[in-house]
Amino acid sequence: MAHPAFIFMLTSNDRTIPDALEQLPAVIAAGVRHIGFKDIGLPFDDLATLQRAIKSAGATSYLEVVSLDRESELSSVRSALRLGVDYLLGGTHVDDVLPLIKDTGIRYYPFPGRITGHPSILEGAPEDIVASARMLAAREGVHGLDLLAYRAAVDVPELISAVCEAVSKPVIVAGSIDRAERIHAVISGKAAGFTVGTAALDGRFPAALPGLTHQLVSIAAITAQAQRLTEL
């Protein structure tokens, strides 16, 4: 991810939306080529159909794990492997996941910090989250981090910058990115990418016309503007 990747999640409130497959053409039409979904919300066969459609469109696929208990998380990881997604985002049981994904080619970005609840919340002091990020990023088989920055009750731009500065691996910022200023904070903080789901589906971004395609075009334009500002 040389430039910050905008990853559109076909999800709302941490669940894959029921009409994800029907919405996919609008996503592709907007030029988005990083597309993800959650491990809950649709039956496995429907997720498999969605994964095939994403790959057929030439896009990169992401599955984000939101299960909190160990067994559910490992079940989600096995599903990710069966589906053949490119990236596995989230999860907290790193010691259990690493053996499962070894030599599979999947790119693994677990959550740093202490994660609770659904939708997921990031708890703890900034220094503890940064320490967790350092520890995870040092692990062989961990390719990057999935940071729930805007789900934390801290100074979020500072947290993003601190985590990205503390680790040499890429950081994706996920969760509650619902306005331009948050995209700017993600990119000025040197994150490798970010996810948007619910906010685009709800029409939260300024766009010339209604509809998902125009929301995604707007987000891409905001991202490009933010990137230009960092290069000044």
Side-chain angles (χ1 to χ4, degrees):
M1 298 180 191
H3 295 286
F6 161 39
I7 305 159
F8 177 63
M9 301 295 289
L10 287 157
T11 61
S12 181
N13 297 316
D14 277 358
R15 297 176 67 87
T16 301
I17 55 176
D19 61 344
L21 192 61
E22 290 75 19
Q23 295 282 7
L24 185 59
V27 180
I28 298 301
V32 177
R33 292 298 180 269
H34 296 272
I35 303 170
F37 47 90
K38 299 292 171 73
D39 59 311
I40 59 173
L42 283 179
F44 180 84
D45 288 348
D46 291 349
L47 292 179
T49 301
L50 180 61
Q51 161 69 7
R52 286 193 296 271
I54 291 170
K55 296 307 295 178
S56 294
T60 301
S61 61
Y62 299 73
L63 185 146
E64 186 169 44
V65 177
V66 292
S67 309
L68 289 177
D69 66 277
R70 177 182 178 276
E71 288 309 315
S72 295
E73 180 174 332
L74 295 186
S75 176
S76 299
V77 172
R78 293 185 185 99
S79 293
L81 296 175
R82 288 171 61 201
L83 289 167
V85 295
D86 299 305
Y87 284 74
L88 174 65
L89 306 180
T92 58
H93 295 83
V94 176
D95 289 336
D96 299 304
V97 173
L98 285 174
L100 294 179
I101 64 169
K102 184 176 173 61
D103 300 324
T104 64
I106 199 165
R107 312 291 290 178
Y108 178 41
Y109 286 55
F111 290 136
R114 189 170 73 253
I115 309 299
T116 62
H118 185 90
S120 302
I121 299 296
L122 173 59
E123 296 187 339
E127 57 268 26
D128 295 330
I129 297 169
V130 170
S132 171
R134 279 201 187 96
M135 181 184 67
L136 288 175
R139 302 289 299 272
E140 185 179 352
V142 170
H143 300 92
L145 302 173
D146 188 12
L147 179 65
L148 292 173
Y150 281 102
R151 301 279 181 84
V154 300
D155 183 316
V156 175
E158 283 192 9
L159 176 66
I160 294 170
S161 295
V163 169
C164 292
E165 188 176 313
V167 302
S168 59
K169 293 178 179 177
V171 177
I172 290 172
V173 178
S176 301
I177 295 175
D178 58 4
R179 66 202 76 163
E181 68 186 65
R182 294 187 172 186
I183 295 175
H184 280 264
V186 164
I187 292 172
S188 65
K190 303 294 191 287
F194 64 96
T195 69
V196 175
T198 305
L201 291 164
D202 288 350
R204 298 286 296 274
F205 289 90
L209 293 167
L212 181 58
T213 296
H214 297 286
Q215 283 287 298
L216 301 182
V217 168
S218 172
I219 294 167
I222 293 166
T223 303
Q225 179 192 41
Q227 179 65 19
R228 286 194 298 271
L229 288 174
T230 65
E231 294 170 352
L232 292 177

